[in-house]
Amino acid sequence: MKDHLVIFDTTLRDGEQSPGASMTKEEKIRIAKQLEKLQVDVIEAGFPAASQGDFESVQAVASVVKDSTICGLARAVENDIVRAGEAIKAANSGRIHTFIATSPIHMEKKLRMSPDEVVERAVWAVKRARDFTDNVEFSPEDAGRSDLDFLCRVIEAVIDAGATTINIPDTVGYNVPHQFGQLFKNLLEKIPNSDKAIFSAHCHNDLGLAVANSLAAVRNGARQIECTINGLGERAGNTALEEVVMAVKTRQDIFDVDTRVNTREILAASRLVSSVTGFAVQPNKAIVGANAFAHESGIHQDGVLKHRETYEIMRAEDVGWNANKMVMGKHSGRNAFKTRLQELGMEFETEQELNEAFMRFKDLADRKHEIYDEDLQALVTDNNTQRVENEIYQLVSLKASSETGESPQAEVTMSVNGDEVSALASGSGVVDATFKAIESMVNSGATLQLYSVSNVTDGTDSMGDTAVRLEKGGRIVNGQGADTDIVTSSAKAYINALNKLMDSTQKAHPQAPV
Ligand code: KIV
Ligand code: ZN
């Protein structure tokens, strides 16, 4: 019998901490439903004390997801723990994840607390969290740079206080595999009550080692991995869920653990997270990149055709490639549309929203003959992103022209707080002209940090999924837009980012000093 490896997904919490990846409640619910389909064991749905919006998102996820444990993050302070406890109340199974830093540099420079005070606070936090749930996780933040004896002392104390999972974060991605593996071995051997808790690895990818470090931890006794879809996360990101899960599944000869993940849902999860956050997946990304299973060279193709395993260690269909290819078209009815969206985990709160989405679908079907699941996903994401609460700017119409030898031009009409305004601009290309026209009306003063368009499906009639990242005064936001016309999708993405920039909601960062 293999041990069960708990898959703890933190796309909605640590993943959301990537600059510009912040998600609305509806987006979090959609992703959480897909994570439930993927059968992850635990979904860290957010940091409820960050803002009222974050609290409500965790609460909403806790009430819709039934088959995964819902976790809320809390610093080791009263307000955070109470907020997390309240947010997970509706969950079938709820967990509070509380943490405090234990490395000398964090204790001295960030917390300004002595090691004794840190131990005392950690124990207090775990006991307080136990008032809300008996499923309590504790993390000694920056464990990867903490003193081993001190870590042992803190962990022994929090297990005695009632922590059931001990998560070991390599917060700054400093560790290397043999060292991180050894850390788990040491902790499990040295801590007298280590058998009373599950040990977990939480790795960041600053040196590109997050997955390798996580797997080294598993080889040395870790029985939970914290990870995100597509490795989303601050800086270089977190451990990629799809990579650890497939490594464990593919190399059953060396891992004495197994997960309950339904790997066929991996690609759908990857696409959903990418389209909601605007963080594109690089083509050569393991498992979910467009080239992950593509064989270019004749020798490889020949080998794969003769016997698949000559060059393939995994089956593309096992991670969801070539699945969900159900085609819809202009003759598909409202009911078929609604049913397929439900199967894809997308539901509408009101009939009116469904009707609007159906009209957009019909409009798309007039322009594109075959509509795949990816198109439906892009259509709904686009619909949601164009509905940012209290949005100030909306695209009304766009006319763009380009001609060899002439300067490309764009005329954009927008609604600004309900009033229509138009502007004409020229640029180096039609997209540049469109952005200049928009800027001439809004004068945002933001800097464009990223602009990318990816095709949702194959073919030149594909929808273009556009991501725009804007920065202003240190604040970074991502905007998305989707349309078969990439100039329109670009304008939508730019306007979506502007609306997010105007939203003044302040969020606390969990790792900032209290
Ligand atoms: O990286 C980290 O240390 C974290 C903690 C909050 C667990 O994300
Ligand atoms: Zn982290």
Side-chain angles (χ1 to χ4, degrees):
M1 265 295 269
K2 300 251 179 188
D3 279 358
H4 177 63
L5 179 64
V6 175
I7 297 298
F8 175 115
D9 182 281
T10 182
T11 306
L12 302 180
R13 197 281 295 171
D14 220 343
E16 199 200 20
Q17 283 174 218
S18 320
S22 121
M23 299 168 221
T24 64
K25 182 168 88 183
E26 287 69 31
E27 289 167 342
K28 281 197 165 190
I29 293 173
R30 270 179 72 199
I31 293 178
K33 283 183 177 171
Q34 179 60 30
L35 292 172
E36 186 182 26
K37 264 184 155 178
L38 194 59
Q39 288 179 16
V40 304
D41 301 278
V42 187
I43 298 173
E44 189 165 50
F47 171 44
S51 68
Q52 180 61 18
D54 284 64
F55 175 84
E56 285 169 14
S57 297
V58 177
Q59 211 176 29
V61 169
S63 44
V64 298
V65 170
K66 295 291 157 228
D67 196 30
S68 304
T69 296
I70 304 303
C71 177
L73 182 72
R75 289 166 298 192
V77 294
E78 171 74 10
N79 179 57
D80 283 26
I81 295 172
V82 172
R83 292 296 272 168
E86 283 167 357
I88 60 159
K89 214 184 248 170
N92 266 357
S93 158
R95 174 183 294 187
I96 295 178
H97 174 189
T98 186
F99 72 99
I100 189 163
T102 51
S103 63
I105 186 168
H106 275 227
M107 290 191 291
E108 195 187 318
K109 307 282 182 215
K110 180 176 97 163
L111 299 175
R112 294 174 205 269
M113 286 168 81
S114 70
D116 287 350
E117 285 169 330
V118 166
V119 178
E120 198 184 318
R121 180 77 73 81
V123 167
W124 170 85
V126 167
K127 287 190 175 154
R128 187 72 180 103
R130 287 288 305 227
D131 292 339
F132 296 89
T133 170
D134 55 10
N135 190 343
V136 173
E137 171 169 329
F138 173 78
S139 291
E141 187 192 359
D142 205 16
R145 291 189 299 170
S146 300
D147 171 72
L148 177 62
D149 290 335
F150 183 59
L151 264 187
C152 291
R153 183 179 153 205
V154 178
I155 294 171
E156 183 180 349
V158 294
I159 294 176
D160 274 345
T164 44
T165 299
I166 299 298
N167 180 45
I168 305 299
D170 182 20
T171 304
V172 290
Y174 177 69
N175 282 228
V176 295
H178 73 277
Q179 171 199 16
F180 200 58
Q182 187 63 43
L183 175 60
F184 276 76
K185 195 169 184 309
N186 290 341
L187 293 174
L188 287 163
E189 277 172 12
K190 282 176 178 253
I191 299 171
N193 53 2
S194 64
D195 60 322
K196 305 272 182 311
I198 287 181
F199 277 64
S200 161
H202 175 113
C203 298
H204 281 267
N205 206 29
D206 299 66
L207 293 172
L209 295 171
V211 171
N213 285 342
S214 302
L215 293 173
V218 172
R219 290 274 297 162
N220 287 280
R223 289 296 175 262
Q224 173 176 289
I225 294 297
E226 301 204 352
C227 45
T228 59
I229 301 292
N230 299 336
L232 187 70
E234 254 173 311
R235 309 185 308 277
N238 286 59
T239 300
L241 177 146
E242 59 281 2
E243 295 179 20
V244 244
V245 166
M246 289 313 289
V248 165
K249 184 176 163 88
T250 307
R251 297 307 308 272
Q252 280 287 295
D253 54 330
I254 50 169
F255 291 108
D256 47 5
V257 294
D258 210 351
T259 75
R260 65 162 197 161
V261 169
N262 175 3
T263 59
R264 286 176 172 263
E265 292 293 338
I266 284 180
L267 189 64
S270 162
R271 291 207 160 138
L272 179 59
V273 169
S274 162
S275 91
V276 164
T277 59
F279 280 67
V281 172
Q282 77 204 49
N284 58 329
K285 164 85 178 62
I287 320 292
V288 290
N291 290 351
F293 292 89
H295 293 274
E296 186 65 46
S297 90
I299 295 173
H300 284 203
Q301 282 175 358
D302 180 57
V304 170
L305 288 175
K306 282 185 181 136
H307 187 83
R308 179 199 277 254
E309 282 163 28
T310 46
Y311 284 101
E312 270 190 14
I313 57 164
M314 295 168 276
R315 291 167 2 131
E317 50 273 41
D318 285 350
V319 294
W321 288 99
N322 312 323
N324 292 337
K325 281 288 175 206
M326 179 163 159
V327 186
M328 301 187 79
K330 65 197 243 178
H331 299 297
S332 307
R334 190 172 166 284
N335 211 21
F337 172 71
K338 184 180 167 189
T339 309
R340 189 64 196 145
L341 285 181
Q342 274 168 348
E343 284 163 6
L344 293 171
M346 294 179 264
E347 269 163 73
F348 296 94
E349 277 175 21
T350 63
E351 275 296 293
Q352 193 194 335
E353 280 178 24
L354 170 65
N355 291 341
E356 281 170 18
F358 185 60
M359 291 199 357
R360 294 164 67 86
F361 162 74
K362 282 287 178 191
D363 177 47
L364 177 63
D366 278 340
R367 287 177 283 143
K368 186 173 189 291
H369 293 306
E370 292 176 328
I371 300 195
Y372 295 95
D373 292 344
E374 291 88 341
D375 294 308
L376 294 179
Q377 237 152 16
L379 190 94
V380 172
T381 301
D382 181 65
N383 196 29
N384 289 345
T385 49
Q386 305 315 315
R387 286 168 171 271
V388 173
E389 262 173 66
N390 309 323
E391 67 183 3
I392 293 173
Y393 307 118
Q394 278 175 342
L395 178 66
V396 175
S397 67
L398 165 63
K399 198 156 79 188
S401 63
S402 80
E403 194 181 328
T404 320
E406 296 293 325
S407 169
Q409 287 202 324
E411 188 178 352
V412 182
T413 302
M414 296 170 58
S415 140
V416 179
N417 277 324
D419 296 330
E420 275 192 18
V421 277
S422 300
L424 179 73
S426 35
S428 60
V430 277
V431 172
D432 188 44
T434 301
F435 288 5
K436 283 189 172 132
I438 296 172
E439 265 307 316
S440 74
M441 293 181 273
V442 304
N443 293 313
S444 75
T447 315
L448 180 70
Q449 284 202 331
L450 175 141
Y451 167 70
S452 82
V453 187
S454 48
N455 47 328
V456 171
T457 53
D458 295 334
T460 48
D461 68 345
S462 165
M463 290 230 269
D465 212 346
T466 305
V468 162
R469 185 175 304 159
L470 296 180
E471 187 271 339
K472 189 178 176 190
R475 180 138 181 257
I476 296 174
V477 292
N478 279 322
Q480 288 83 50
D483 201 282
T484 48
D485 180 332
I486 58 166
V487 187
T488 305
S489 76
S490 303
K492 286 178 175 178
Y494 197 91
I495 291 172
N496 179 232
L498 286 174
N499 280 320
K500 288 187 175 171
L501 213 50
M502 299 304 289
D503 176 3
S504 56
T505 314
Q506 293 293 318
K507 278 180 167 215
H509 188 293
Q511 282 151 290
V514 187

PDB file of all heavy atoms in Angstrom, residues 13-14 171 202 204 238 511, ligand 2:
ATOM      1  N   ARG A  13      -4.395  31.566  -3.279  1.00  0.00           N
ATOM      2  CA  ARG A  13      -3.781  32.377  -2.210  1.00  0.00           C
ATOM      3  C   ARG A  13      -2.362  32.776  -2.606  1.00  0.00           C
ATOM      4  O   ARG A  13      -2.116  33.898  -2.995  1.00  0.00           O
ATOM      5  CB  ARG A  13      -3.816  31.599  -0.880  1.00  0.00           C
ATOM      6  CG  ARG A  13      -3.587  32.466   0.338  1.00  0.00           C
ATOM      7  CD  ARG A  13      -2.149  32.811   0.608  1.00  0.00           C
ATOM      8  NE  ARG A  13      -1.326  31.652   0.935  1.00  0.00           N
ATOM      9  CZ  ARG A  13       0.007  31.714   1.037  1.00  0.00           C
ATOM     10  NH1 ARG A  13       0.640  32.850   0.843  1.00  0.00           N
ATOM     11  NH2 ARG A  13       0.699  30.622   1.315  1.00  0.00           N
ATOM     12  N   ASP A  14      -1.418  31.830  -2.613  1.00  0.00           N
ATOM     13  CA  ASP A  14      -0.047  32.213  -2.961  1.00  0.00           C
ATOM     14  C   ASP A  14       0.026  32.587  -4.442  1.00  0.00           C
ATOM     15  O   ASP A  14       0.745  33.510  -4.830  1.00  0.00           O
ATOM     16  CB  ASP A  14       0.931  31.076  -2.643  1.00  0.00           C
ATOM     17  CG  ASP A  14       2.238  31.593  -2.049  1.00  0.00           C
ATOM     18  OD1 ASP A  14       2.499  32.795  -2.189  1.00  0.00           O
ATOM     19  OD2 ASP A  14       2.991  30.802  -1.456  1.00  0.00           O
ATOM     20  N   THR A 171      10.517  29.802   1.676  1.00  0.00           N
ATOM     21  CA  THR A 171       9.838  31.045   1.289  1.00  0.00           C
ATOM     22  C   THR A 171      10.540  31.812   0.181  1.00  0.00           C
ATOM     23  O   THR A 171       9.896  32.409  -0.680  1.00  0.00           O
ATOM     24  CB  THR A 171       9.717  31.927   2.551  1.00  0.00           C
ATOM     25  OG1 THR A 171       9.041  31.154   3.548  1.00  0.00           O
ATOM     26  CG2 THR A 171       8.963  33.208   2.299  1.00  0.00           C
ATOM     27  N   HIS A 202       6.505  23.402   0.977  1.00  0.00           N
ATOM     28  CA  HIS A 202       5.969  24.579   0.289  1.00  0.00           C
ATOM     29  C   HIS A 202       7.170  25.297  -0.329  1.00  0.00           C
ATOM     30  O   HIS A 202       7.932  25.946   0.383  1.00  0.00           O
ATOM     31  CB  HIS A 202       5.248  25.465   1.319  1.00  0.00           C
ATOM     32  CG  HIS A 202       4.740  26.759   0.782  1.00  0.00           C
ATOM     33  ND1 HIS A 202       3.397  27.040   0.672  1.00  0.00           N
ATOM     34  CD2 HIS A 202       5.374  27.864   0.330  1.00  0.00           C
ATOM     35  CE1 HIS A 202       3.229  28.259   0.191  1.00  0.00           C
ATOM     36  NE2 HIS A 202       4.421  28.790  -0.029  1.00  0.00           N
ATOM     37  N   HIS A 204       9.265  27.692  -3.232  1.00  0.00           N
ATOM     38  CA  HIS A 204       9.236  28.768  -4.234  1.00  0.00           C
ATOM     39  C   HIS A 204      10.346  28.522  -5.243  1.00  0.00           C
ATOM     40  O   HIS A 204      11.338  27.862  -4.954  1.00  0.00           O
ATOM     41  CB  HIS A 204       9.338  30.127  -3.553  1.00  0.00           C
ATOM     42  CG  HIS A 204       8.011  30.544  -2.969  1.00  0.00           C
ATOM     43  ND1 HIS A 204       7.123  31.320  -3.653  1.00  0.00           N
ATOM     44  CD2 HIS A 204       7.419  30.229  -1.799  1.00  0.00           C
ATOM     45  CE1 HIS A 204       6.018  31.488  -2.919  1.00  0.00           C
ATOM     46  NE2 HIS A 204       6.176  30.832  -1.779  1.00  0.00           N
ATOM     47  N   ASN A 238       5.523  29.241  -7.561  1.00  0.00           N
ATOM     48  CA  ASN A 238       5.510  28.138  -6.587  1.00  0.00           C
ATOM     49  C   ASN A 238       5.735  26.807  -7.318  1.00  0.00           C
ATOM     50  O   ASN A 238       5.788  26.779  -8.544  1.00  0.00           O
ATOM     51  CB  ASN A 238       4.131  28.072  -5.916  1.00  0.00           C
ATOM     52  CG  ASN A 238       3.901  29.190  -4.917  1.00  0.00           C
ATOM     53  OD1 ASN A 238       3.949  30.356  -5.257  1.00  0.00           O
ATOM     54  ND2 ASN A 238       3.653  28.831  -3.682  1.00  0.00           N
ATOM     55  N   GLN A 511       2.487  38.384   4.075  1.00  0.00           N
ATOM     56  CA  GLN A 511       3.854  38.282   4.581  1.00  0.00           C
ATOM     57  C   GLN A 511       4.453  39.630   4.982  1.00  0.00           C
ATOM     58  O   GLN A 511       5.615  39.703   5.362  1.00  0.00           O
ATOM     59  CB  GLN A 511       4.724  37.534   3.580  1.00  0.00           C
ATOM     60  CG  GLN A 511       4.454  36.042   3.680  1.00  0.00           C
ATOM     61  CD  GLN A 511       4.670  35.312   2.373  1.00  0.00           C
ATOM     62  OE1 GLN A 511       3.915  35.454   1.425  1.00  0.00           O
ATOM     63  NE2 GLN A 511       5.725  34.535   2.321  1.00  0.00           N
TER      64      GLN A 511
HETATM   65 ZN    ZN B   2       4.646  30.877  -0.335  1.00  0.00          ZN
END
